[in-house]
Amino acid sequence: MWIYEANLLCDVEVTYPDPRLAQLLMAQYGGPNGAMAAAMQYLNQRFTMENKRVRQLLVDIGTEKLGHLEMIGVMIRKLLKGLSPKQARESGIAQHYVEHRNGLFYVNPSGNTWTADYLQHVGEPIADIMSNLALEARSRTIYENLITLTEDPCVQDTLRFLRERSLVHAARFQEALFILGEGT
Amino acid sequence: MWIYEANLLCDVEVTYPDPRLAQLLMAQYGGPNGAMAAAMQYLNQRFTMENKRVRQLLVDIGTEKLGHLEMIGVMIRKLLKGLSPKQARESGIAQHYVEHRNGLFYVNPSGNTWTADYLQHVGEPIADIMSNLALEARSRTIYENLITLTEDPCVQDTLRFLRERSLVHAARFQEALFILGEGT
Amino acid sequence: MWIYEANLLCDVEVTYPDPRLAQLLMAQYGGPNGAMAAAMQYLNQRFTMENKRVRQLLVDIGTEKLGHLEMIGVMIRKLLKGLSPKQARESGIAQHYVEHRNGLFYVNPSGNTWTADYLQHVGEPIADIMSNLALEARSRTIYENLITLTEDPCVQDTLRFLRERSLVHAARFQEALFILGEGT
Amino acid sequence: MWIYEANLLCDVEVTYPDPRLAQLLMAQYGGPNGAMAAAMQYLNQRFTMENKRVRQLLVDIGTEKLGHLEMIGVMIRKLLKGLSPKQARESGIAQHYVEHRNGLFYVNPSGNTWTADYLQHVGEPIADIMSNLALEARSRTIYENLITLTEDPCVQDTLRFLRERSLVHAARFQEALFILGEGT
Amino acid sequence: MWIYEANLLCDVEVTYPDPRLAQLLMAQYGGPNGAMAAAMQYLNQRFTMENKRVRQLLVDIGTEKLGHLEMIGVMIRKLLKGLSPKQARESGIAQHYVEHRNGLFYVNPSGNTWTADYLQHVGEPIADIMSNLALEARSRTIYENLITLTEDPCVQDTLRFLRERSLVHAARFQEALFILGEGT
Amino acid sequence: MWIYEANLLCDVEVTYPDPRLAQLLMAQYGGPNGAMAAAMQYLNQRFTMENKRVRQLLVDIGTEKLGHLEMIGVMIRKLLKGLSPKQARESGIAQHYVEHRNGLFYVNPSGNTWTADYLQHVGEPIADIMSNLALEARSRTIYENLITLTEDPCVQDTLRFLRERSLVHAARFQEALFILGEGT
C-alpha cells in the first residue's frame, strides 16, 4: 500500500508560462517512455519477480516514478498557468485546450493516449529487467531532447535532476541483473 | 510523493488456485472500470481541481485505489499459483500464459490492453466529479458480477470489502459535489 | 429502424471558412465526449434497459445525437469550404488534408481516431444512466470551450443551441434516475 | 436528421438462447466489417461526395445499416436471454459477462473494441466507393461464415436476409461507380 | 524468404530539407493507406490465397511495397537532415522530435501509431483482392494530395513514380479478379 | 530493396493440425514480442543509425525476421489446415474463424491487433540497441513458453531453431553495443 505525503520529491519551478513547452513535456507524463510507463511497468513486474531484493527494487523505483510523474504534472501545470483561450489558439495548443482546458491528460506530445501496449512484461526475470534498462535509456534520451528544446533554466534543472535519477535507476537494474546471476 | 509500506491495505486470501477466476478478476486490474482506471483518473484530475478539499479527496482516493490495485494483483497471483503449462491449456488461459506466464498484465478479461481512452478529464470540476461517481457505480457492478461468478468465500470477502470501499468513495464524491456548490 | 429526413435538426451557418476552427469542432464529431460517442452509447445501452420509459428515452436521445452529429458535420464542412492545399499548409491542418482533403473523419482535434473505449456500458441501469449524465456534463464543457475559442457568431449560435439540448438531455436522464427508483 | 420508428427493418427470431453464437454475431455488431462500420463509413463519406445521387445513396444505405445494427443487436440479446452467471462460465463467455452482463458492446468476437481505424475515407469519390464495395464483399463473407457456424434456422434466415441486402448495396455501389463516370 | 540488396528500387532526391513536408510524407510511411499497410496486407493475404498465380502476385507486390516503404523512409530522412532542436520547434515538428529526434516512426502525419486495424483480410479471395484494389485507389489519392502539397520537384518526381507503380499494381489486381473467375 | 526467394529460411513441418496451438503461435506472428515486431523495429531503427556496421546489422536481422514471420505463418497455416466450421467451434477458435476463416491475421493469441505502440525507437543508438536486446530476450521467453505448451515434436523443432537464431541476434546486438563504444 502507498501513503501520500503532501510535498514533491523535489521542488519544481518554471521561469514563465510556456504552453508549447508544456505540450512537449507530456512525453514524460503520458508518452511511451515517460514516468507513467516506468511506474506501471515496474509495479506490474514485481508480482512475478521471485527474488526478494529485486522485487523490492521494482517497488522502490516504481514508487519513485509515481513521484516523478507528479513532479512532471506540476511542472506542466505551471507552464500552462493562466492560459486563456486566445493564448491557447496562438500558442498552437488549442487542440489540447478544447478537451482539457489548461489541464493534463495521459497523452504524448502528439496527443496519443497512453496504452499498456507500451509496457513490457513476460514474467522471465532477466528479460523483464533488461526491458527496464532499455526503458531507462530511452527515457534519458527524451530528457536530453527536452533539455535542448527549452531555454528555461528552471525547467532544465528539473529535467537534469530527473535524468540523474534515471541513471541511478539504471545502475540499480544493472545490479539486479547481477543478483539474478547473469551479469550480461 | 508516495511512500510504500510493505503490507496490503487489507489481507487477501484465496481458497484454492483458479486460473479462470484469475482471468475474470483482471476486469478490476486492467479493465475500463477497474482500480488502475480509478487511480489514474483521480490522480490526473486533481491537477485542475482548484478547491483544496476536493483536490485532497482526489489524491486520497486515488492513492487508496493504488492500494486496491495491489490487493487485486496479489489475489490474481494467488489464483494463478503453481500454474503449469498443461493446466494453462486445460483451464483455457493458455492465451495469457504464452505471453505472461502466470503473471499479470494490464488487460481486461478479454485481453484488451489498458488505455487512457477509458479515462475522463475535461478540467471542469462538476463534470469531472460526476464522471468519478459514475465510474464508482460501474466499478461496483463489476464487483457484484465477480461475486456471483465465483464460489470461493475468501475471494468473495475481498470483493465485498472492495465494493464497500467503492460505496464510501461514492459518498465522498457526493460530498465533493456539495462542496463545489452544486448538489445535483 | 431509422428514417432519414433531408433536413437538419436545426440550420447551420458559418460566417466564413476557418480551417483551424473546423479542426477544433472535431472534438464534437469524433472526440471522446462528442455527438458520435453520445449517440452510440445511448443506442447501445437501451438493449439492456428493462424499464420501457427509460429505454424509449435512450432511443430518443440517441437518435437526436445522430442529428447533432450531422449538424456538426455540416458545420465543419462549411468551415473547410474551398480549402486549397496551400491554405491547408498555412492554416496548419495539412496533416488532416493529406489523408482526408477537406472532408471529415471520426477523430478528435489531435487526430486520434474514435474508439468504443470511450463508451460506458455495464448493463446495470443506474450505473449506465449516471455515466450518461456525466457524459452530458463533459460534452457541455467542450461546447463552452468551443464558444470561447471562436468569435464567429453563427458558429457560436449553433454551439449554444447544442449546449442547450445537452442541458435538456441531462434533465431527462435525471428523471430517468427517479423513474429507476433512485434519486441520487 | 433521423426519425426512429419502433419496429425492426425485419423481424428477428432465435430458436433458443445460445451465448456462444451471440459472441460470434458480435462480428456484425462491433467488428471491423460489421454493420456499425458500414453505417459510420457511409454516413461520413457523404459529406465529401459532391454528386447528389451518390450522396443520397450513401445516406440511404448508411441509414439502412443502422437498422441492420439494431436487428443484430436484438438477435444477440435474444441469444443471451436469461443468461445466468453460471451459464456464462460454462458457455465460455464469462469474460464478456463480467463487464457487460448479458448486454451488448461494440466489440468483435475476440473482444476488441470498435475503432474508426477500421473505416476508409480519403475524400476522392471513386476511391471511397471502391472501399465500400470491398467492405460489402468482406461483410458478406462474415455472414456466410456465421451461417456455417450455426444450425439455428431462425438465425440463419436473418443472416441470409442481411447477406441479400449486402448484395443489393454492392449493386448500388457499382451503379454509383458508373454514375461517377468510371465503370471499373 | 527475402534477400536485401543495398540499393533502392529507385533513387530518391530532395531539393532541400523540409521538416513539414517530411511530416506529411509519413502518411505513406505509417499511415492507414501507406506502403507499410499495403506490404503487410498483401503478405498476410497470400497465406489463404489458393490460386498460385494470384498468391505469387501478392508476394511480388507486397515485396515491392517493402521497397517503396524504404524509398519513402529515405526521402523523409533527407527532408529531416541536419534538423536542430531550434528548427524542430520553429517548423512545428518538435512534437515528433522530442520522441524520435530526426528519425522515423510508423505514424501518420497526426502522430497516430500504425495498427493492423487498418488492414483487411477475410480469407475469401474476391473480397480480399477487392480490398487491395480499394487500398491502391486510396493510396493514389494520398500521393496526389502530397504532390499538390509540395513544390519540391525532386520529391514530386518520386511521388509520381510511386503513384505510377500503384496504377500498375491496381491493373494487376484487376487481372487477379479475372483469374479468380469474376471480372467485377 | 528486397528480393523474394520462393523457399523458406528453414523448412517447417507439423505432425497434425492443431487449431489451439495455431492460436498460441500467433504470439510470434502478431504479438508484441513476435517476428513482425522485431522486423519492423529493426528496419525502422536503421534510418537513424549512423554507424555503418550497426546499420547493416539492423537491416540483416530485420530481413531475417521477415523470413521468420513467413516461417511462423506457414506453420500456423499447417496447424489450421482443413479446419471446418464445426472444428472451429469445438476447438475454441471460432472467434478467429468467423473473421478470418482458417487464415492469418496480425493479432496476438488474445486477438489484439498488432500496433506500432509495441515498438521502440528514440533515435539514440545505445538506447535503441538495448531495446533490441531486451526484445530478443522477451521473444526467447515466448519461444520457451510455446515449446512447453505443445507436444508436437515438429513444431518444437522449428521453435528451437527460431529460439537459437534469437540467441545469435542477441549476440550480434551485444557486439553492436561494443562497436558503438559502450559495453554496458
Side-chain angles (χ1 to χ4, degrees):
Chain A
M1 62 175 284
W2 284 267
I3 293 163
Y4 182 74
E5 288 211 354
N7 51 276
L8 295 180
L9 263 171
C10 178
D11 278 345
V12 159
E13 297 299 333
V14 309
T15 311
Y16 47 82
D18 180 348
R20 286 186 200 224
L21 181 57
Q23 191 169 36
L24 298 181
L25 282 174
M26 288 177 198
Q28 287 291 354
Y29 189 75
N33 302 307
M36 179 175 174
M40 300 319 287
Q41 177 158 312
Y42 306 158
L43 293 177
N44 180 69
Q45 283 181 4
R46 63 141 168 168
F47 286 110
T48 36
M49 191 59 69
E50 303 289 343
N51 181 291
K52 279 193 185 174
R53 283 169 63 197
V54 179
R55 188 165 68 236
Q56 185 60 44
L57 185 66
L58 287 167
V59 175
D60 288 349
I61 302 184
T63 301
E64 184 177 339
K65 296 289 186 189
L66 285 176
H68 293 177
L69 186 65
E70 186 184 33
M71 286 173 65
I72 294 158
V74 170
M75 189 157 47
I76 293 174
R77 278 290 286 170
K78 291 191 174 187
L79 290 167
L80 292 174
K81 198 173 179 182
L83 185 73
S84 69
K86 192 152 171 279
Q87 289 168 329
R89 290 200 77 168
E90 282 165 4
S91 60
I93 70 152
Q95 292 156 282
H96 182 82
Y97 184 92
V98 71
E99 293 196 325
H100 303 290
R101 292 190 176 168
N102 60 346
L104 288 156
F105 201 59
Y106 302 112
V107 289
N108 79 349
S110 299
N112 292 349
T113 43
W114 194 93
T115 159
D117 288 329
Y118 297 151
L119 304 190
Q120 284 97 41
H121 172 268
V122 290
E124 198 284 317
I126 302 289
D128 284 346
I129 299 295
M130 284 175 73
S131 299
N132 300 353
L133 266 169
L135 172 51
E136 293 292 341
R138 294 193 304 273
S139 181
R140 281 198 301 282
T141 302
I142 309 284
Y143 280 127
E144 286 156 17
N145 293 346
L146 285 167
I147 289 167
T148 67
L149 284 159
T150 179
E151 286 164 5
D152 182 328
C154 292
V155 171
Q156 287 179 328
D157 272 1
T158 302
L159 293 170
R160 279 196 203 98
F161 169 83
L162 293 167
R163 187 187 170 285
E164 286 304 304
R165 293 308 299 160
S166 172
L167 274 169
V168 171
H169 297 160
R172 297 195 67 190
F173 284 130
Q174 279 290 3
E175 279 171 47
L177 285 183
F178 279 105
I179 291 169
L180 294 168
E182 291 185 53
T184 352
Chain B
M1 62 174 285
W2 285 266
I3 293 164
Y4 182 74
E5 286 210 356
N7 50 277
L8 294 181
L9 262 171
C10 178
D11 277 347
V12 160
E13 295 300 333
V14 309
T15 312
Y16 46 83
D18 181 346
R20 283 185 203 225
L21 181 57
Q23 191 168 35
L24 298 182
L25 283 174
M26 289 178 197
Q28 288 289 356
Y29 189 75
N33 302 305
M36 179 175 173
M40 301 318 286
Q41 177 158 311
Y42 306 158
L43 294 176
N44 180 67
Q45 283 181 4
R46 63 143 169 167
F47 287 110
T48 36
M49 191 59 71
E50 301 290 343
N51 181 291
K52 279 194 184 175
R53 285 170 61 198
V54 180
R55 186 165 69 236
Q56 185 59 42
L57 185 67
L58 287 167
V59 175
D60 287 349
I61 303 184
T63 301
E64 184 177 338
K65 296 290 185 189
L66 285 177
H68 293 177
L69 187 65
E70 186 184 32
M71 286 172 65
I72 294 158
V74 170
M75 191 158 47
I76 294 174
R77 277 291 286 170
K78 290 192 174 184
L79 291 167
L80 292 174
K81 198 171 179 182
L83 184 73
S84 70
K86 191 151 170 281
Q87 289 167 328
R89 290 201 77 170
E90 283 165 4
S91 61
I93 70 151
Q95 291 156 281
H96 181 83
Y97 184 91
V98 70
E99 293 197 325
H100 303 290
R101 292 188 177 169
N102 60 347
L104 288 156
F105 202 58
Y106 302 112
V107 289
N108 79 350
S110 299
N112 292 350
T113 44
W114 194 93
T115 159
D117 287 329
Y118 297 151
L119 305 189
Q120 285 97 41
H121 172 269
V122 290
E124 198 285 316
I126 302 290
D128 284 346
I129 298 297
M130 285 175 70
S131 299
N132 299 354
L133 267 169
L135 172 52
E136 293 291 340
R138 295 193 303 274
S139 181
R140 281 197 301 282
T141 302
I142 309 285
Y143 280 126
E144 285 156 19
N145 293 346
L146 286 167
I147 289 167
T148 67
L149 284 159
T150 179
E151 287 164 5
D152 182 327
C154 293
V155 171
Q156 287 180 327
D157 273 358
T158 302
L159 293 170
R160 279 195 203 99
F161 167 84
L162 292 167
R163 188 188 168 284
E164 287 303 305
R165 292 307 299 160
S166 172
L167 274 170
V168 172
H169 296 160
R172 296 196 68 190
F173 284 131
Q174 280 290 4
E175 277 172 50
L177 285 183
F178 280 105
I179 291 169
L180 294 169
E182 291 185 51
T184 352
Chain C
M1 63 174 285
W2 285 266
I3 293 164
Y4 182 74
E5 286 211 354
N7 51 277
L8 295 180
L9 262 172
C10 178
D11 277 347
V12 160
E13 296 299 333
V14 308
T15 311
Y16 46 82
D18 181 348
R20 283 185 202 224
L21 180 56
Q23 192 168 35
L24 298 182
L25 283 173
M26 288 176 197
Q28 287 291 354
Y29 189 75
N33 302 305
M36 179 174 173
M40 301 318 287
Q41 178 159 312
Y42 306 158
L43 294 175
N44 180 68
Q45 283 181 4
R46 63 143 168 167
F47 287 110
T48 34
M49 190 59 69
E50 302 290 342
N51 181 290
K52 277 193 186 175
R53 284 169 65 198
V54 180
R55 186 164 70 237
Q56 185 60 43
L57 185 67
L58 287 167
V59 175
D60 287 349
I61 303 184
T63 301
E64 184 177 338
K65 296 289 186 189
L66 285 177
H68 293 176
L69 187 65
E70 187 184 32
M71 285 172 65
I72 295 158
V74 169
M75 191 158 47
I76 294 174
R77 277 291 285 169
K78 290 192 175 186
L79 291 167
L80 292 174
K81 199 173 178 181
L83 186 73
S84 70
K86 193 155 170 276
Q87 289 168 328
R89 290 201 77 170
E90 283 165 3
S91 61
I93 70 152
Q95 290 157 283
H96 182 82
Y97 184 92
V98 71
E99 293 197 326
H100 303 290
R101 290 189 178 168
N102 60 345
L104 288 155
F105 202 58
Y106 302 112
V107 288
N108 78 351
S110 298
N112 291 350
T113 43
W114 194 92
T115 160
D117 288 329
Y118 297 151
L119 305 189
Q120 284 97 42
H121 172 269
V122 289
E124 197 285 317
I126 302 289
D128 284 346
I129 298 296
M130 283 175 73
S131 299
N132 300 354
L133 266 169
L135 172 51
E136 293 291 340
R138 295 193 303 273
S139 181
R140 280 197 301 283
T141 303
I142 309 284
Y143 281 127
E144 285 157 18
N145 293 345
L146 286 167
I147 289 167
T148 66
L149 284 159
T150 178
E151 286 163 5
D152 183 328
C154 292
V155 171
Q156 286 179 329
D157 273 1
T158 301
L159 293 170
R160 280 197 201 96
F161 168 84
L162 292 167
R163 188 188 169 284
E164 287 304 304
R165 293 307 300 160
S166 172
L167 273 170
V168 172
H169 296 160
R172 296 195 68 192
F173 284 130
Q174 279 290 1
E175 279 171 50
L177 285 184
F178 280 105
I179 291 169
L180 293 168
E182 291 187 51
T184 350
Chain D
M1 60 174 287
W2 284 265
I3 292 165
Y4 182 74
E5 287 211 354
N7 52 275
L8 295 181
L9 263 172
C10 179
D11 277 347
V12 159
E13 296 299 335
V14 309
T15 311
Y16 46 82
D18 181 347
R20 284 185 202 226
L21 181 56
Q23 191 168 35
L24 299 182
L25 282 174
M26 288 178 200
Q28 288 290 354
Y29 189 75
N33 303 305
M36 179 175 174
M40 300 319 286
Q41 178 158 312
Y42 306 159
L43 293 176
N44 181 68
Q45 284 181 4
R46 63 142 168 166
F47 286 109
T48 36
M49 192 59 71
E50 302 289 343
N51 181 291
K52 279 193 186 176
R53 284 169 63 196
V54 179
R55 188 166 66 235
Q56 184 59 44
L57 185 66
L58 287 167
V59 175
D60 288 349
I61 303 183
T63 301
E64 184 177 338
K65 295 290 185 189
L66 285 177
H68 293 177
L69 186 65
E70 187 185 32
M71 286 173 64
I72 294 157
V74 170
M75 191 157 47
I76 293 173
R77 278 289 287 169
K78 290 190 175 187
L79 291 167
L80 292 174
K81 199 171 177 182
L83 184 73
S84 69
K86 191 153 172 278
Q87 288 167 329
R89 289 201 78 168
E90 282 165 4
S91 61
I93 70 151
Q95 290 156 284
H96 181 82
Y97 183 91
V98 70
E99 293 198 325
H100 303 289
R101 293 188 177 170
N102 60 346
L104 288 156
F105 202 59
Y106 302 112
V107 289
N108 78 350
S110 299
N112 292 349
T113 44
W114 194 93
T115 159
D117 287 329
Y118 296 152
L119 304 190
Q120 285 96 41
H121 172 269
V122 290
E124 199 285 315
I126 302 289
D128 284 346
I129 298 296
M130 285 176 70
S131 299
N132 299 353
L133 267 168
L135 172 51
E136 293 292 340
R138 295 194 302 273
S139 181
R140 281 197 301 282
T141 302
I142 309 284
Y143 280 126
E144 285 156 18
N145 293 347
L146 285 167
I147 289 167
T148 66
L149 284 160
T150 179
E151 286 163 6
D152 182 326
C154 293
V155 171
Q156 287 180 329
D157 273 0
T158 301
L159 293 170
R160 280 196 202 97
F161 168 84
L162 292 167
R163 188 188 169 283
E164 286 304 304
R165 292 308 299 161
S166 171
L167 274 169
V168 172
H169 297 160
R172 296 196 68 193
F173 284 131
Q174 280 289 1
E175 278 172 50
L177 285 183
F178 279 105
I179 291 169
L180 293 168
E182 292 188 50
T184 353
Chain E
M1 62 173 287
W2 285 266
I3 293 163
Y4 182 75
E5 287 212 353
N7 51 277
L8 295 180
L9 262 172
C10 179
D11 278 346
V12 160
E13 296 299 333
V14 308
T15 311
Y16 47 82
D18 181 348
R20 285 186 201 223
L21 181 57
Q23 192 169 33
L24 298 181
L25 282 173
M26 288 177 198
Q28 288 289 355
Y29 189 75
N33 302 305
M36 178 175 174
M40 300 319 287
Q41 178 158 310
Y42 306 158
L43 294 176
N44 180 68
Q45 283 181 3
R46 62 139 170 169
F47 286 110
T48 36
M49 192 58 71
E50 302 290 343
N51 181 291
K52 278 195 186 174
R53 283 169 64 198
V54 179
R55 187 165 68 236
Q56 186 58 44
L57 185 66
L58 287 167
V59 174
D60 288 349
I61 303 184
T63 302
E64 185 177 338
K65 295 289 185 190
L66 285 177
H68 293 176
L69 187 65
E70 187 184 32
M71 286 173 65
I72 294 158
V74 170
M75 190 156 48
I76 293 173
R77 277 291 285 169
K78 291 191 174 185
L79 290 167
L80 292 174
K81 198 171 179 182
L83 185 73
S84 70
K86 193 153 169 278
Q87 289 168 330
R89 289 200 79 170
E90 283 165 4
S91 61
I93 70 151
Q95 291 156 283
H96 181 82
Y97 184 91
V98 70
E99 293 196 327
H100 303 290
R101 291 188 177 170
N102 60 346
L104 287 156
F105 201 59
Y106 302 112
V107 288
N108 80 349
S110 298
N112 292 349
T113 44
W114 194 93
T115 159
D117 288 328
Y118 297 150
L119 304 190
Q120 285 97 41
H121 172 269
V122 290
E124 197 285 317
I126 302 289
D128 283 346
I129 299 296
M130 284 176 71
S131 299
N132 300 353
L133 267 168
L135 172 51
E136 293 291 342
R138 294 193 303 274
S139 181
R140 282 198 300 283
T141 302
I142 309 285
Y143 281 128
E144 285 157 19
N145 293 346
L146 286 167
I147 289 166
T148 66
L149 284 160
T150 177
E151 286 164 5
D152 183 327
C154 293
V155 171
Q156 287 180 329
D157 273 1
T158 301
L159 293 170
R160 280 196 201 96
F161 168 83
L162 292 167
R163 188 187 169 286
E164 286 304 305
R165 292 308 299 160
S166 171
L167 275 170
V168 171
H169 296 160
R172 298 196 67 192
F173 284 131
Q174 280 288 4
E175 279 173 46
L177 285 184
F178 280 106
I179 292 169
L180 294 168
E182 290 186 52
T184 350
Chain F
M1 62 175 286
W2 285 266
I3 293 163
Y4 182 74
E5 288 211 354
N7 51 276
L8 294 180
L9 262 171
C10 178
D11 278 346
V12 160
E13 296 300 334
V14 308
T15 311
Y16 46 83
D18 181 347
R20 285 185 202 224
L21 181 57
Q23 191 168 35
L24 298 181
L25 283 173
M26 289 177 197
Q28 288 290 354
Y29 189 73
N33 302 307
M36 178 176 174
M40 301 318 286
Q41 178 159 312
Y42 306 158
L43 294 176
N44 180 68
Q45 283 180 5
R46 64 144 169 166
F47 287 110
T48 36
M49 191 59 70
E50 302 290 342
N51 181 291
K52 279 193 184 174
R53 285 169 62 197
V54 180
R55 188 164 67 236
Q56 185 59 44
L57 185 66
L58 288 167
V59 175
D60 288 350
I61 303 184
T63 302
E64 184 176 338
K65 296 289 185 189
L66 285 176
H68 293 177
L69 187 65
E70 187 184 32
M71 287 173 63
I72 294 158
V74 169
M75 190 157 45
I76 294 173
R77 278 290 286 168
K78 290 191 174 186
L79 291 167
L80 292 174
K81 199 172 180 181
L83 185 73
S84 69
K86 190 152 171 279
Q87 290 168 328
R89 289 201 78 170
E90 283 165 4
S91 60
I93 71 151
Q95 292 157 282
H96 181 83
Y97 183 91
V98 70
E99 293 198 325
H100 303 289
R101 290 188 178 171
N102 61 347
L104 288 156
F105 201 59
Y106 302 112
V107 289
N108 79 350
S110 299
N112 292 349
T113 44
W114 194 93
T115 159
D117 288 329
Y118 296 151
L119 305 189
Q120 285 96 41
H121 172 268
V122 290
E124 198 284 317
I126 301 290
D128 283 346
I129 298 297
M130 284 175 71
S131 300
N132 300 353
L133 266 168
L135 172 51
E136 293 291 342
R138 295 193 303 273
S139 181
R140 282 198 300 282
T141 302
I142 308 285
Y143 281 127
E144 286 156 18
N145 293 345
L146 285 167
I147 289 167
T148 67
L149 284 159
T150 179
E151 285 163 8
D152 182 327
C154 293
V155 171
Q156 287 179 329
D157 273 0
T158 302
L159 293 170
R160 279 196 203 97
F161 168 83
L162 292 167
R163 189 188 168 284
E164 287 304 304
R165 293 307 299 160
S166 171
L167 274 170
V168 172
H169 297 159
R172 297 196 66 192
F173 284 131
Q174 280 289 4
E175 278 172 49
L177 285 183
F178 280 105
I179 290 169
L180 293 167
E182 293 186 51
T184 350

